[in-house]
Amino acid sequence: MALEVQRAGADVKPTLTDQDVLDFCRTGFLLLEGVIPDSTNRWVFEHLDREDAQPNQLVTDARFVEEVLLHPEVAGAVRSLLGQNFQLPDWMANHRLVGPVPAARWHVDGGSGFERLCNLLQVFYLPQENTKEVGPTLFLPGSHIVPIAREELDHFGHLAGQVATVAPAGSVFVTAYSIWHRQSEKRDQSVRNMLKWEFWRTVPPRRDWVVDPDFDFASADYSYTNDYFCGATRKWQSVPRVAEMFYWLCGKSDDFHMVGGSGWPFSASDPGIRAKSP
Ligand SMILES: [Fe+2]
């Protein structure tokens, strides 16, 4: 029997502001720290620890849908980035690790296109505390719009700028699908459960999150840098990609025009050379 796909209702309210959405375009990564209550974390962990556990069943479990998938902080962030009536997952994976496990390789998941748009989100939920001993996933913020061949990523080891998902129980990570990531080495004897799924867009993008009337498209900072994407060249490479993604999310793709040279959007964070914005 085909699984009936569920969508978020009209009661789900967006929680992210213009700046929050722009920051997601810059990093491809959003941490909702410890938002799911301990009472939920406990029953989910116990459910996953049963011998006959089938994580996929959680997508049709009304309690899980209400307490995790539609938790106001989780659904509010997703509603901001994917619009109204976003599609809930029809599958769920548990990235379960038992005892010491070597690190996995850097990769992007199948189908990653590094597009400057946002039609789906990859989400991770930690029903237990993630210490650096339990093999937390590593992400490279800003990498979601930097095309790379998967076989090239295979050769990477420690990357300056990588972020480990060390976080308390109940934390949720919302990520752009194409972000570079890997599981780090698990060093202890414990059992680590981590759920992963995707949410999908069902409506065209538009700027219907928490709009800030003072947000200025002309002067917003569209650049992103960290210890990996460092130096002037790499920092400025991010600018057109981030700006294009943000305009797409606003439903303003038709208004996105690079003026060329050092003009907008390159000039946005440098008032000394500011040119006209679209
Ligand atoms: Fe992956």
Side-chain angles (χ1 to χ4, degrees):
M1 192 175 71
L3 182 68
E4 188 183 343
V5 173
Q6 301 182 75
R7 293 186 178 186
D11 55 326
V12 174
K13 303 297 179 210
T15 53
L16 303 187
T17 64
D18 290 300
Q19 188 60 52
D20 294 333
V21 172
L22 174 55
D23 286 344
F24 183 80
C25 293
R26 297 165 79 225
T27 63
F29 184 82
L30 174 68
L31 165 61
L32 302 170
E33 189 172 297
V35 292
I36 306 296
D38 284 343
S39 54
T40 305
N41 298 330
R42 268 196 300 277
W43 78 254
V44 172
F45 185 87
E46 285 164 14
H47 175 92
L48 295 172
D49 234 22
R50 291 207 310 250
E51 222 167 90
D52 59 346
Q54 294 187 32
N56 215 29
Q57 287 179 345
L58 288 170
V59 297
T60 53
D61 183 315
R63 190 176 177 194
F64 185 81
V65 172
E66 183 188 339
E67 295 182 19
V68 180
L69 298 181
L70 292 179
H71 183 284
E73 293 278 347
V74 176
V78 175
R79 160 68 181 83
S80 306
L81 294 165
L82 296 182
Q84 289 182 324
N85 304 321
F86 61 85
Q87 182 180 309
L88 274 54
D90 59 0
W91 62 267
M92 181 147 311
N94 182 15
H95 288 198
R96 180 179 169 90
L97 302 176
V98 181
V101 180
R105 292 180 171 179
W106 281 101
H107 66 281
V108 290
D109 282 15
S112 290
F114 309 100
E115 301 95 344
R116 294 91 187 254
L117 41 75
C118 186
N119 279 323
L120 76 159
L121 293 166
Q122 177 177 238
V123 178
F124 300 79
Y125 159 47
L126 310 172
Q128 65 194 101
E129 183 185 8
N130 229 18
T131 67
K132 64 181 186 346
E133 305 301 316
V134 301
T137 307
L138 305 176
F139 292 100
L140 185 66
S143 61
H144 59 300
I145 42 180
V146 180
I148 191 166
R150 191 167 171 143
E151 53 271 24
E152 208 175 319
L153 269 178
D154 264 359
H155 302 298
F156 291 178
H158 175 87
L159 293 181
Q162 68 187 23
V163 169
T165 52
V166 171
S171 295
V172 175
F173 298 90
V174 178
T175 73
Y177 185 72
S178 300
I179 198 165
W180 307 1
H181 60 282
R182 78 187 296 199
Q183 171 239 309
S184 63
E185 180 186 2
K186 183 170 184 296
R187 301 193 182 97
D188 69 8
Q189 298 294 330
S190 70
V191 174
R192 193 288 303 267
N193 291 302
M194 179 179 72
L195 290 170
K196 175 187 172 180
W197 64 86
E198 293 161 9
F199 287 115
W200 292 83
R201 170 185 297 283
T202 67
V203 295
R206 66 189 180 98
R207 188 186 176 201
D208 61 353
W209 44 78
V210 182
V211 170
D212 173 4
D214 295 327
F215 183 83
D216 182 6
F217 284 74
S219 61
D221 183 359
Y222 299 98
S223 68
Y224 180 69
T225 186
N226 61 28
D227 288 344
Y228 182 79
F229 298 114
C230 59
T233 306
R234 278 178 161 169
K235 177 178 178 182
W236 295 116
Q237 279 176 346
S238 68
V239 171
R241 295 170 178 158
V242 171
E244 186 179 356
M245 183 175 175
F246 184 65
Y247 268 65
W248 185 91
L249 272 161
C250 289
K252 293 173 175 284
S253 282
D254 291 345
D255 296 337
F256 179 75
H257 301 293
M258 305 269 289
V259 299
S262 59
W264 190 94
F266 291 96
S267 57
S269 59
D270 186 350
I273 55 169
R274 184 169 299 160
K276 73 183 179 70
S277 63

